Amino acid sequence: MSALLLLFLAVTTSYFPQLPLEFPQTRTMKDDARFISEIAPFPGIEQINDLYLNDIKSLLAHEAPNLNPLVINKVLTTLKCAATYNVEHNNILTIIDYSLPSNERRFWVFDLKARKLLFYTYVSHGIKSGALLTNFFSNKFNSKASSIGVYQTQQAYYGRDGLSLRLDGLDRNFNDNASSRSVVMHSGWYVEEGFIKRYGRPGRSWGCPALPLATSQGIINTIKDKSLLVIYYPSDAWFAKSKFLNCDKTTASQHMNDPTIQVPVSAPDEHRDAILFVGSGYKGSKNAESKPVAVISADTYERVFHTTAPLTRMLRRQINNAEYIALNATELYYLANNNKPDSTASQDDGINAIHFVIPVLKIVRGGYYETQMQIVNLGKIKEVKINGGLSRTNELANSFTVYFEGGPSVNLNAHNEFIRWVGL
């Protein structure tokens, strides 16, 4: 019997000489990580394990050294919990870290299958979420604030801000109203790096994560159609209550000692200077939408007043690729009283620098409507007078009369209510 067995082994070995007669060496963690990445980059819960998560962790840390390790840990937990809840998603992962100031790049897009960083850029936050820092979040309608949490991207479409991306908030009580609030991803000229370098921070949206014009189209086309987006902030409520950070006891215990911040229950009270509208009988912001506003260009503002133009009074739309600032009473008074004679005045000196603008709806490509700012030609300004003059304490009144050459005069009245097309 033993002789027959030896004969069989000899024949088999000669017939299949390429087969090894010993077991292969044990696979290393690096080998398994490469196998997981190449063969199963988007596993279900049965395949989510420490090996897979360590592989993703190494990828994020290597490709994005500026990404906070605390953020990476939350993203890994999110991936695990997304598998637990059978959340469908592709190989693209987007991360926003709102704990960073808005004048820093805080937006990353990764391809987990190709194992590389695709985009790293700036992103804005909501106008009620803070100025330079993002420190207030809301899931409420009309809050004009950003929402943290986990999202699934949906379809791309063309809207009032060009190519945009619908977002489905998956985090109950944190961002699940995003779709009905019309929180989408879109571009913004006020998120360009040149704008940020000039004014110190990007402009702000009404809660949408707005991207630089130059890269927004490529980003949206890359991350659309069911990729995961994680918007991070070290909120104690989010850490404790999000289902994407607490899908089992292990994940719940991972952030017990992480530093957290309690988000305020209401938006920060941002001071808004009163701006000057043409006409009287002001009845609130809706009434002001159609009234011309006194403005000057941002270039003129900085040259005349020797300071950076205030974004809180900047028009939300450029005019001929230039930014404009809505004037307050003090600035109008200064321009009116530092006017040069007509013989030496240029187009942007003194009262010659003042323009009046209104918002208009126009149909642009694709047949959708877009709000644009339009200069109203009321004539050349001849004189500006304060109604009632200066008070005993030299405080300005909130009403002016502007006289034009060859045209009727108009009254300007100051109001500081929120106007949808003024303030970034």
Side-chain angles (χ1 to χ4, degrees):
M1 179 69 179
S2 55
L4 288 174
L5 179 61
L6 290 174
L7 177 61
F8 174 77
L9 288 176
V11 171
T12 303
T13 303
S14 61
Y15 188 75
F16 302 109
Q18 73 275 22
L19 293 179
L21 295 180
E22 59 183 4
F23 292 103
Q25 294 182 350
T26 303
R27 292 175 63 90
T28 66
M29 181 175 288
K30 184 176 181 181
D31 293 330
D32 284 339
R34 185 181 299 110
F35 172 80
I36 292 171
S37 176
E38 293 176 354
I39 304 302
F42 331 114
I45 185 59
E46 70 280 357
Q47 294 171 293
I48 286 283
N49 52 37
D50 290 342
L51 193 61
Y52 174 81
L53 294 177
N54 284 335
D55 181 43
I56 300 300
K57 183 176 183 178
S58 298
L59 163 65
L60 300 182
H62 178 267
E63 291 291 300
N66 293 329
L67 189 56
N68 189 325
L70 293 176
V71 180
I72 293 177
N73 289 338
K74 294 298 174 288
V75 170
L76 297 178
T77 302
T78 294
L79 292 174
K80 182 176 181 178
C81 292
T84 299
Y85 300 123
N86 295 315
V87 176
E88 183 182 358
H89 64 94
N90 59 28
N91 57 302
I92 302 299
L93 171 68
T94 303
I95 301 171
I96 296 175
D97 181 3
Y98 273 151
S99 69
L100 296 174
S102 59
N103 60 359
E104 294 184 17
R105 291 186 288 175
R106 51 184 185 167
F107 180 98
W108 296 261
V109 178
F110 300 90
D111 186 329
L112 300 184
K113 184 176 182 180
R115 300 183 55 74
K116 64 179 180 180
L117 174 67
L118 302 179
F119 298 97
Y120 176 39
T121 189
Y122 302 93
V123 63
S124 73
H125 55 253
I127 199 167
K128 292 293 187 177
S129 287
L132 177 64
L133 300 177
T134 318
N135 47 29
F136 174 74
F137 304 92
S138 178
N139 192 36
K140 295 181 179 179
F141 294 94
N142 202 35
S143 66
K144 298 180 178 62
S146 298
S147 300
I148 56 178
V150 180
Y151 296 77
Q152 183 191 64
T153 66
Q154 301 299 325
Q155 304 85 7
Y157 70 100
Y158 278 94
R160 61 185 297 175
D161 293 293
L163 185 65
S164 305
L165 178 65
R166 291 186 173 89
L167 302 174
D168 186 14
L170 305 179
D171 247 328
R172 186 177 180 183
N173 297 325
F174 292 98
N175 63 18
D176 55 332
N177 286 328
S179 180
S180 53
R181 287 178 58 204
S182 298
V183 172
V184 300
M185 189 173 291
H186 61 75
S187 64
W189 54 272
Y190 47 82
V191 195
E192 289 293 315
E193 186 171 46
F195 184 100
I196 296 170
K197 299 299 184 185
R198 175 174 179 177
Y199 298 110
R201 65 168 175 84
R204 296 168 293 177
S205 66
W206 280 14
C208 301
L211 303 171
L213 279 171
T215 55
S216 64
Q217 183 167 341
I219 291 173
I220 289 173
N221 282 326
T222 298
I223 74 174
K224 66 182 180 180
D225 299 329
K226 296 187 177 180
S227 69
L228 285 184
L229 162 65
V230 181
I231 298 183
Y232 170 90
Y233 188 79
S235 159
D236 55 354
W238 184 51
F239 282 11
K241 298 177 181 179
S242 169
K243 72 176 188 177
F244 290 97
L245 299 179
N246 299 277
C247 54
D248 59 33
K249 293 181 180 180
T250 302
T251 58
S253 64
Q254 287 175 351
H255 59 257
M256 292 297 293
N257 297 320
D258 287 348
T260 61
I261 298 174
Q262 185 171 357
V263 176
V265 295
S266 59
D269 185 16
E270 184 178 87
H271 172 74
R272 301 184 68 85
D273 286 342
I275 59 177
L276 295 158
F277 295 87
V278 171
S280 58
Y282 183 81
K283 297 179 181 178
S285 58
K286 290 184 178 179
N287 182 255
E289 295 294 340
S290 61
K291 291 191 172 185
V293 172
V295 303
I296 63 173
S297 72
D299 289 339
T300 301
Y301 188 99
E302 294 181 342
R303 179 177 59 80
V304 171
F305 298 110
H306 308 290
T307 186
T308 303
L311 298 189
T312 53
R313 285 186 282 123
M314 181 174 286
L315 302 186
R316 297 191 66 81
R317 293 289 188 271
Q318 293 175 304
I319 302 176
N320 296 325
N321 298 316
E323 297 89 49
Y324 280 78
I325 307 299
L327 292 168
N328 63 25
T330 302
E331 293 159 353
L332 180 67
Y333 180 78
Y334 179 87
L335 292 171
N337 287 273
N338 287 271
N339 194 41
K340 296 179 181 179
D342 289 345
S343 59
T344 61
S346 67
Q347 290 297 315
D348 57 357
D349 275 328
I351 57 176
N352 289 329
I354 301 170
H355 301 281
F356 297 93
V357 300
I358 58 171
V360 294
L361 279 177
K362 291 188 176 181
I363 297 180
V364 293
R365 70 178 185 277
Y368 65 88
Y369 285 91
E370 179 181 274
T371 302
Q372 298 180 0
M373 302 309 300
Q374 178 175 297
I375 293 178
V376 180
N377 186 12
L378 300 178
K380 186 175 182 179
I381 300 176
K382 181 172 60 176
E383 185 181 11
V384 177
K385 287 187 177 181
I386 304 174
N387 295 332
L390 293 173
S391 68
R392 291 182 179 180
T393 58
N394 289 328
E395 291 182 354
L396 286 173
N398 285 328
S399 179
F400 296 81
T401 299
V402 182
Y403 298 89
F404 299 92
E405 293 181 1
S409 62
V410 299
N411 290 325
L412 295 181
N413 294 279
H415 302 278
N416 62 1
E417 290 196 22
F418 180 85
I419 305 300
R420 64 185 177 91
W421 44 270
V422 177
L424 285 173

